[in-house]
């Protein structure tokens, strides 16, 4: 921004940067922008750079017309330009630092030392009319660079650009490749054009064009507000939640959130379809954004929203407004769709260390069965947080168990009243964790099904069962087969049959020693399940319908598939013997009439065993005979038990 030997400045590049940056600022301001510190800093950086370009162009034009303008005006404009430009340089450093600080577990403290160069150069710029250090203006020859121009401005530029690089290096593990690349591009686009204008082409206004280009790249690569907006609901997404709430927690600000979900969301999506459900979610998102200005709304997934409450927000008022809104059905193309609201409230607790845990605690609690009243706002308390941490520990232990082989297979014998011996057994998995001890399947099977780990878990259990069969003579033990559970998630896996057969062949196990158990839930997709069963039956395996009576299957559904055995759930058995449910005998007769073998689960007393025997229920499983026991104990128990039974028979 100077005239040397009568040469005028060439602002065409800077004008291009002005137009480009002005458009980016306009569209940025028009969008729904997450109110995070990094986003605010980026917008301020763009606006400051926009002002810098305008002042530079105006100062260049005026400095080229000495006869029309006073020296005072030229000094003011040139001082304003240098002050803004040096501020932009330092702001780029602040932005690069902010990129990493918002995610770092232990961000670097703010050091005032890093601001000293800005104040020093600001003093030199403001005192330029006196010191003539950075620049001076002669009434006859116009603008000139001062003796401090090259060392001070170049040193200042390099200082903040090097600091920016240092910030990217320090925080690199918290940044994605795209974020790192964007930061590097911004630094390069600032550094090279600035040095070019300082040393090579002082009359060509390249500095701000380069900075504008760098900001444009950052905008397109990572600062587009749309990246943090859910396209379906038009509120902020889960990524935005992690950034914003994480920032609030790291700054030790008070975090208050309300999570909302719908008890009938899965049914609505199944009955009315994806398109109508997404339309409803969009209307909810728009309503939350427009009518709940005292909150920052986020959409997570599967119908769950989280509202971050701003400082002055009234929790009870927000609850009542939510209840009033969801009390009315949504009209969608002639359908009245009622949403069963569930909501929870949480204030930041020292037991919750980050935004991910906060989100998981809220969503886990909102799914719990105790949230029955749609108008009630459940306040998350210590027991909910403790339950979450227990769930998290079990989840970690489960993954660790698969990786480090902490899984153990227990066996529960099944008694055959016709042959009067233990003829089969069910394999049941346990986690024997070195720190948490023995973890029962009720604690981790649902978790495994939710995160997909059930595929690895189930295959590992089957591998251990095959290893057991390979290492022991089943005929000598008196066992016809081992029952192995397949979860509904496993049954939907198209390669399951092939992988099970491969494992059995690896251990040289004949598949007729395997009886797979499938619950009623897995029968939803008859075609997929039928293909799986037929592929395994061809290799000699058999199938049992497990826990009959807990689902919605009827006899017609059962007979459509090639089951060999039906296992009647213990709740039906218990209900019969305590007088609360008379269905058991009818079920036994019905399945026997259809040539299905029957296993009654849950036998716990001699009277129950006698009653089941009188019904001609051939196979009985329960604690009366044995709990699930480890492999070595199971072998001793089977050998001893069957020998005693054989001796009695003789």
């Amino acid at each position: 921004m100077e005239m040397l030997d009568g040469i005028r400045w060439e602002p065409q590049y800077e004008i291009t940067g002005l137009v480009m940056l002005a458009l980016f600022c306009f569209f940025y301001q028009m969008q729904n922008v997450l109110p995070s510190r990094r986003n605010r800093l980026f917008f301020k950086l763009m606006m400051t750079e926009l002002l810098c370009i305008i002042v530079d162009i105006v100062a260049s034009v005026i400095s080229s017309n000495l006869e029309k303008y006073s020296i005072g005006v030229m000094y003011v404009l040139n001082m304003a330009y240098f002050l803004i430009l040096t501020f932009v340089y330092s702001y780029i450093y602040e932005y690069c630092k902010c990129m990493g600080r918002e995610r770092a577990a232990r961000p670097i403290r703010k050091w005032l030392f890093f601001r000293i160069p800005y104040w020093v150069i600001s003093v030199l710029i403001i005192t330029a009319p006196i010191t003539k250090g950075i620049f001076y203006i002669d009434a006859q020859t116009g603008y000139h660079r001062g003796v401090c121009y090259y060392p001070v401005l170049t040193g200042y530029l390099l200082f903040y650009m090097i600091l920016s690089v240092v910030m990217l290096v320090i925080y690199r593990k918290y940044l994605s490749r795209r974020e790192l690349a964007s930061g590097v591009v911004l630094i390069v686009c600032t550094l090279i054009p600035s040095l070019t204008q300082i040393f090579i082409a002082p009359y060509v206004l390249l500095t701000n064009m380069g900075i504008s280009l760098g900001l444009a790249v950052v905008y397109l690569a990572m600062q587009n507000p749309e990246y943090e907006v859910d396209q379906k609901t038009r509120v902020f997404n889960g990524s935005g939640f992690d950034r914003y709430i994480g920032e609030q927690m790291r700054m030790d600000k008070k975090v208050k959130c309300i999570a909302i979900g719908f008890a009938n969301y899965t049914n609505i999506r199944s009955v009315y379809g994806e398109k109508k459900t997404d339309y409803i979610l969009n209307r909810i998102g728009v309503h939350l954004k427009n009518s709940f200005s005292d909150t920052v709304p986020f959409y997570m997934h599967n119908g769950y929203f989280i509202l971050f409450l701003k400082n002055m927000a009234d929790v009870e008022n927000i609850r009542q407004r939510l209840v009033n809104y969801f009390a009315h059905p949504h009209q969608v193309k002639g359908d009245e769709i009622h949403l069963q609201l569930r909501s929870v409230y949480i204030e930041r607790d020292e037991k919750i260390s980050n935004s991910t845990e906060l989100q998981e605690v809220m969503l886990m609690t909102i799914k719990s069965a105790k949230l029955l009243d749609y108008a009630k706002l459940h306040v998350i308390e210590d027991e909910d947080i403790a339950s979450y941490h227990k769930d998290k520990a079990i989840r970690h232990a489960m993954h660790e168990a698969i990786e480090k082989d902490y899984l153990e297979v227990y066996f529960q014998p099944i008694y055959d009243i016709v042959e009067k011996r233990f003829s089969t057994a069910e394999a049941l998995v346990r986690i024997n964790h070195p720190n948490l001890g023995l973890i029962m399947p009720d604690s981790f099977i649902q978790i495994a099904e939710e995160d997909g780990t059930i595929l690895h878990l189930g295959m590992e259990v089957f591998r251990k069962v095959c290893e057991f069969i390979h290492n022991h003579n089943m005929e000598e033990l008196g066992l016809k087969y081992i029952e192995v559970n397949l979860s509904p998630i496993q049954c939907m896996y198209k390669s399951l049959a092939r992988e099970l057969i491969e494992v059995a062949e690896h251990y040289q196990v004949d598949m007729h020693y395997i009886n797979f158990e499938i619950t009623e839930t897995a029968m939803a997709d008859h075609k997929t399940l039928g293909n799986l069963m037929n592929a395994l039956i061809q290799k000699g395996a058999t199938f049992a319908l497990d826990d009959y009576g807990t689902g919605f299957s009827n006899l017609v559904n059962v007979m459509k598939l090639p089951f060999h055995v039906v296992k009647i759930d213990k709740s039906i058995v218990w209900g019969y013997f305590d007088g609360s449910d008379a269905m058991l005998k009818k079920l036994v007769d019905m399945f026997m009439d259809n040539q299905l073998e029957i296993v009654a689960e849950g036998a716990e007393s001699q009277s129950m065993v006698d009653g089941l025997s009188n019904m001609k229920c051939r196979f009985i499983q329960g604690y009366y005979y044995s709990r699930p026991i480890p492999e070595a104990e199971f072998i001793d128990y089977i050998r001893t038990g069957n020998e005693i039974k054989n001796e009695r028979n003789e």
Side-chain angles (χ1 to χ4, degrees), residues 209-241:
M209 174 59 194
I211 297 174
S212 299
L213 182 61
L215 291 173
V217 170
V218 172
Y219 180 98
L220 295 172
M222 53 181 280
Q223 281 294 159
N224 188 339
E226 286 293 302
Y227 296 154
E228 295 172 329
V229 173
D230 179 71
Q231 299 304 306
K232 184 163 42 184
T233 61
R234 303 308 301 167
V235 298
F236 300 116
N237 57 25
S239 175
F241 179 86

Side-chain angles (χ1 to χ4, degrees), residues 460-527:
E460 184 63 17
V461 171
F462 182 69
R463 187 192 66 78
K464 287 179 177 291
V465 169
C466 288
E467 186 177 29
F468 169 84
I469 296 172
H470 176 78
N471 293 336
H472 300 87
N473 189 312
M474 294 285 281
E475 281 74 17
E476 287 183 3
L477 293 174
L479 297 176
K480 295 179 180 179
Y481 52 73
I482 302 294
E483 297 184 346
V484 178
N485 289 279
L486 295 180
S487 80
I489 304 297
Q490 283 179 281
C491 293
M492 296 302 103
Y493 183 49
K494 293 184 178 180
S495 300
L496 179 64
R498 175 180 56 80
E499 293 184 9
L500 291 172
I501 293 169
E502 287 176 354
V503 172
E505 290 176 348
H506 175 75
Y507 285 95
Q508 299 176 335
V509 169
D510 193 317
M511 289 290 275
H512 82 268
Y513 287 125
I514 305 293
N515 183 50
F516 291 105
E517 294 187 4
I518 298 174
T519 62
E520 294 179 75
T521 311
M523 295 175 62
D525 188 343
H526 276 245
K527 183 178 180 181

Side-chain angles (χ1 to χ4, degrees), residues 244-487:
Y244 185 68
I245 301 301
E247 177 183 284
Q248 302 298 310
M249 297 178 78
R250 277 185 289 274
M251 295 172 67
D252 289 326
K253 291 189 176 181
K254 193 169 186 178
V255 175
K256 300 184 296 180
C257 293
I258 292 177
I260 64 173
F262 312 103
N264 59 339
Y265 176 80
T266 302
N267 291 337
I268 287 174
R269 202 166 189 87
S270 175
V271 173
Y272 295 101
E274 183 177 341
K275 191 173 181 180
K276 287 185 178 181
T277 307
D278 289 348
Y279 175 75
I280 293 174
L281 291 175
N282 174 264
R283 288 173 58 176
I284 294 171
V286 171
H287 179 76
L288 293 176
K289 185 173 66 172
N290 295 337
S291 302
F292 288 76
S293 58
D294 47 353
T295 72
V296 180
F298 300 87
Y299 179 71
M300 311 314 290
H301 56 79
N302 295 334
Y304 294 109
F305 292 83
I306 295 181
L307 306 179
F308 170 80
L309 279 57
K310 297 178 181 177
N311 289 334
M312 302 303 292
D314 185 336
V315 177
E316 177 57 27
N317 177 266
I318 293 173
R319 182 200 68 82
Q320 190 59 54
R321 284 151 57 196
L322 287 170
V323 170
N324 292 341
Y325 175 69
F326 288 106
H328 304 286
H330 283 77
Q331 304 286 340
V332 185
K333 295 183 179 180
D335 292 321
E336 282 193 356
I337 302 177
H338 294 262
L339 295 171
Q340 299 173 4
L341 177 67
R342 299 290 182 266
S343 56
V344 298
Y345 170 76
I346 190 171
E347 289 190 17
R348 183 187 177 185
D349 189 284
E350 61 182 9
K351 302 181 187 70
I352 300 175
S353 60
N354 54 56
S355 60
T356 301
E357 288 190 354
L358 184 74
Q359 172 190 335
E360 290 176 348
V361 167
M362 298 187 78
L363 298 190
M364 185 194 76
T365 307
I366 207 171
K367 293 176 185 176
S368 66
K370 62 186 174 183
L371 301 176
L372 300 176
D373 185 358
Y374 85 96
K376 181 181 179 181
L377 181 67
H378 176 82
V379 179
I380 294 177
E381 298 177 345
D382 288 347
E383 62 181 283
D384 298 303
I385 298 173
S387 177
Y388 161 75
H389 283 295
K390 180 181 177 182
D391 181 90
K392 185 177 180 181
I394 290 174
R395 188 183 301 271
H396 177 74
M398 179 181 62
H399 288 275
E400 194 176 23
I402 296 172
E403 180 183 345
K404 298 182 179 180
D405 196 23
Y406 294 150
L407 294 176
E408 291 186 5
V409 174
Y410 279 45
F411 297 88
Q412 186 173 27
I414 299 175
Y415 188 70
D416 184 336
I417 63 170
V418 174
E419 298 185 6
K420 300 188 183 309
R421 64 184 181 86
F422 298 109
S423 61
T424 64
E426 181 178 358
L428 298 161
V429 65
R430 305 285 189 266
I431 294 176
N432 194 357
H433 195 272
N435 298 325
L436 301 178
L438 197 65
I439 304 174
M440 306 302 283
D442 288 347
S443 299
F444 62 83
I445 291 297
Q446 184 177 351
I447 297 172
E449 290 181 333
E450 288 175 356
D451 67 8
T453 311
I454 192 67
L455 297 174
H456 302 286
L457 183 67
M459 196 58 65
E460 184 63 17
V461 171
F462 182 69
R463 187 192 66 78
K464 287 179 177 291
V465 169
C466 288
E467 186 177 29
F468 169 84
I469 296 172
H470 176 78
N471 293 336
H472 300 87
N473 189 312
M474 294 285 281
E475 281 74 17
E476 287 183 3
L477 293 174
L479 297 176
K480 295 179 180 179
Y481 52 73
I482 302 294
E483 297 184 346
V484 178
N485 289 279
L486 295 180
S487 80

